[in-house]
Amino acid sequence: MKEIYDLIISRRSIRKFEQKPIDTEILKKLVNTARLAPSMANLQPLEYIIINDHLTCEKIFNCLKWAGYISPYGTPKENERPVAYIIVLANENINSDYKRDVGAAIENMIIAALSLGIGSCWLCNIDRDKIRSILEIPNKLIIDSVLALGYPKEKPVVETLTNSVKYWKDEKDILHIPKRSLNDILHINRYQTKI
Ligand SMILES: Cc1cc2nc3c(=O)[nH]c(=O)nc-3n(C[C@H](O)[C@H](O)[C@H](O)COP(=O)(O)O)c2cc1C
């Protein structure tokens, strides 16, 4: 129990990766954790594409926008790019209210990946038209998100949010992530009661 808690609170979005491949079998295992995630009315509107061949990875990389607050300094350099991606697709004909399913599925994959030492970054600032054409995705499927994956080559740090939500890089190129304090967001038994 403690192990999972520690894993979850240690998770950070990673944007610098070792150039070590991730086996297709591992990526399939990650999608399996998404497959079994909670799903509204158990409708299961989501589908996935695994990408781990170098050429397709390069094409997908060109469809992504990284770390908007610090652009271009959060964009992975040539030798630090993700080595795999999982594209998350949604079928609106199965459930148009699919967004929460996506959240549950992606978080499962992120945490499962982390337990195997694999870092990730969830991306929605993506060129969907380009991705659709590169991967020949049928129009009936919405391209919701891209999960970029690879063994981490950076260790971002969390700090307590004071006046800005904007993450920032220090002079050692370490990414700092401001997060609201527990006291700020938690209410016990009644809204007015704080910890
Ligand atoms: C729905 C969603 C979309 C995101 N899209 C992007 C994106 O397009 N590019 C990017 O670099 N990071 C993206 N992120 C990552 C966030 O920037 C990151 O989660 C946030 O800064 C907090 O950092 P942390 O994940 O390390 O806690 C996205 C995260 C979420 C949940």
Side-chain angles (χ1 to χ4, degrees), residues 122-185:
W122 178 350
L123 296 107
C124 282
N125 195 354
I126 59 181
D127 187 334
R128 291 181 172 78
D129 290 341
K130 241 162 95 179
I131 294 175
R132 187 178 296 286
S133 135
I134 294 164
L135 302 177
E136 298 169 26
I137 297 168
N139 284 330
K140 67 167 189 182
L141 294 167
I142 291 166
I143 302 168
D144 185 87
S145 295
V146 172
L147 187 63
L149 295 153
Y151 294 90
K153 210 180 158 185
E154 67 167 340
K155 273 195 188 149
V157 293
V158 164
E159 60 187 27
T160 303
L161 189 154
T162 47
N163 54 5
S164 171
V165 295
K166 292 184 180 173
Y167 45 78
W168 57 282
K169 278 200 170 183
D170 65 23
E171 66 287 348
K172 289 183 183 140
D173 205 35
I174 292 170
L175 186 61
H176 294 247
I177 317 289
K179 294 283 186 186
R180 290 172 71 182
S181 68
L182 198 55
N183 191 40
D184 204 22
I185 58 168

Side-chain angles (χ1 to χ4, degrees), residues 25-190:
E25 284 311 307
I26 289 179
L27 296 165
K28 278 164 81 174
K29 261 180 112 170
L30 299 185
V31 173
N32 203 32
T33 71
R35 178 179 75 87
L36 294 167
S39 172
M40 187 186 289
N42 204 26
L43 287 169
Q44 305 172 63
L46 308 181
E47 295 187 32
Y48 306 88
I49 303 176
I50 283 173
I51 291 152
N52 66 346
D53 80 77
H54 183 69
L55 194 65
T56 317
C57 279
E58 285 304 288
K59 287 183 187 167
I60 294 301
F61 181 81
N62 292 325
C63 303
L64 310 175
K65 292 210 171 64
W66 296 83
Y69 289 140
I70 55 168
S71 179
Y73 302 108
T75 303
K77 298 197 183 88
E78 185 121 24
N79 58 347
E80 295 176 339
R81 291 180 179 175
V83 296
Y85 297 96
I86 296 173
I87 316 290
V88 181
L89 308 172
N91 189 334
E92 264 195 313
N93 299 326
I94 295 177
N95 188 4
S96 59
D97 195 359
Y98 61 83
K99 290 272 180 191
R100 279 160 282 208
D101 279 29
V102 170
I106 293 186
E107 187 67 6
N108 266 13
M109 294 196 284
I110 288 173
I111 300 303
L114 196 56
S115 78
L116 302 169
I118 297 167
S120 62
C121 187
W122 178 350
L123 296 107
C124 282
N125 195 354
I126 59 181
D127 187 334
R128 291 181 172 78
D129 290 341
K130 241 162 95 179
I131 294 175
R132 187 178 296 286
S133 135
I134 294 164
L135 302 177
E136 298 169 26
I137 297 168
N139 284 330
K140 67 167 189 182
L141 294 167
I142 291 166
I143 302 168
D144 185 87
S145 295
V146 172
L147 187 63
L149 295 153
Y151 294 90
K153 210 180 158 185
E154 67 167 340
K155 273 195 188 149
V157 293
V158 164
E159 60 187 27
T160 303
L161 189 154
T162 47
N163 54 5
S164 171
V165 295
K166 292 184 180 173
Y167 45 78
W168 57 282
K169 278 200 170 183
D170 65 23
E171 66 287 348
K172 289 183 183 140
D173 205 35
I174 292 170
L175 186 61
H176 294 247
I177 317 289
K179 294 283 186 186
R180 290 172 71 182
S181 68
L182 198 55
N183 191 40
D184 204 22
I185 58 168
L186 175 62
H187 312 265
I188 297 180
N189 293 320
R190 278 176 184 68

